[in-house]
């Protein structure tokens, strides 16, 4: 489907130019919700209105998380290590958790400086999570390229890591890139 096409012109009362799909043409109004331009509707000089606009939102739903699971004594430890964002449904019989959220490290500078460690390490106990959580694992910052004095030699900032669920919003920033 095409959006926002201009309405066609009408030449010498005999021939009409070809309108874009959804736009107005001689004798035809522009389609609603396509944003097409209006055109001359009749040889009596009646002009057609432009078609109304539209807002379209497209997104990819976060994938389900696939953490690794280990046990230490009676505790189960889930480790979310795949970079990106995913959703995790907590078990129905558990509502209190301990969290460790670490932002990704910054990339090293090409000549002079190392990248910063994860901008913040957050450890919290007794966190109540009773509904689906959005988990974000930050990607490490890219390293710089080039030589001293080049504008490309600085490392890039590491990505944020977070756990968000209801009123829980634990965010750890990534480390700065090296110079």
């Amino acid at each position: 489907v095409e959006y926002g096409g201009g309405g066609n012109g009408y030449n010498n009362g005999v021939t009409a130019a070809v309108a874009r799909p959804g736009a107005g043409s001689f004798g035809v109004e522009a389609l609603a919700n396509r944003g097409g331009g209006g055109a001359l509707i009749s040889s009596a000089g009646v002009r057609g209105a432009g078609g109304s606009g539209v807002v379209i939102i497209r997104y990819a739903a976060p994938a389900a998380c696939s953490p690794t699971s280990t046990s230490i004594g009676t505790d189960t430890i889930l480790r979310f290590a795949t970079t990106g964002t995913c959703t995790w449904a907590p078990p129905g019989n558990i509502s209190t958790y301990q969290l460790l959220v670490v932002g990704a490290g910054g990339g090293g500078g090409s000549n002079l400086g190392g990248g910063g460690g994860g901008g913040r390490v957050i450890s919290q106990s007794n966190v109540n999570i009773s509904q689906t959580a959005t988990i974000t694992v930050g990607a490490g910052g890219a390293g710089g390229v080039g030589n001293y004095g080049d504008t490309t030699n600085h490392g890039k900032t590491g990505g944020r890591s977070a756990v968000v669920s209801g009123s829980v919003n634990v965010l750890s920033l990534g480390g700065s890139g090296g110079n």
Side-chain angles (χ1 to χ4, degrees), residues 108-122:
S110 62
N111 268 351
L112 302 175
R120 205 166 151 195
V121 175
I122 300 173

Side-chain angles (χ1 to χ4, degrees), residues 1 9 11 17 22-24 29 37 41 43 48 57 61 70 84 98 100 107 111 118 126 136 140 159 174 176:
V1 173
N11 302 324
E29 292 275 350
I41 296 300
S43 56
I57 298 174
T70 57
Q98 294 179 16
L100 176 64
N111 268 351
N126 298 318
T136 301
S176 295

Side-chain angles (χ1 to χ4, degrees), residues 70-143:
T70 57
S71 295
I72 297 178
T74 59
D75 290 341
T76 298
I77 299 169
L78 298 178
R79 183 173 183 260
F80 299 87
T82 302
T83 58
T85 299
C86 60
T87 56
W88 172 69
N93 60 340
I94 300 171
S95 61
T96 304
Y97 299 87
Q98 294 179 16
L99 302 178
L100 176 64
V101 180
V102 181
S110 62
N111 268 351
L112 302 175
R120 205 166 151 195
V121 175
I122 300 173
S123 176
Q124 291 187 353
S125 297
N126 298 318
V127 177
N128 290 314
I129 300 176
S130 59
Q131 51 191 293
T132 299
T134 300
I135 309 290
T136 301
V137 176

Side-chain angles (χ1 to χ4, degrees), residues 31 40 43 46 62 106 125:
L31 296 177
L40 187 65
S43 56
V46 177
S125 297

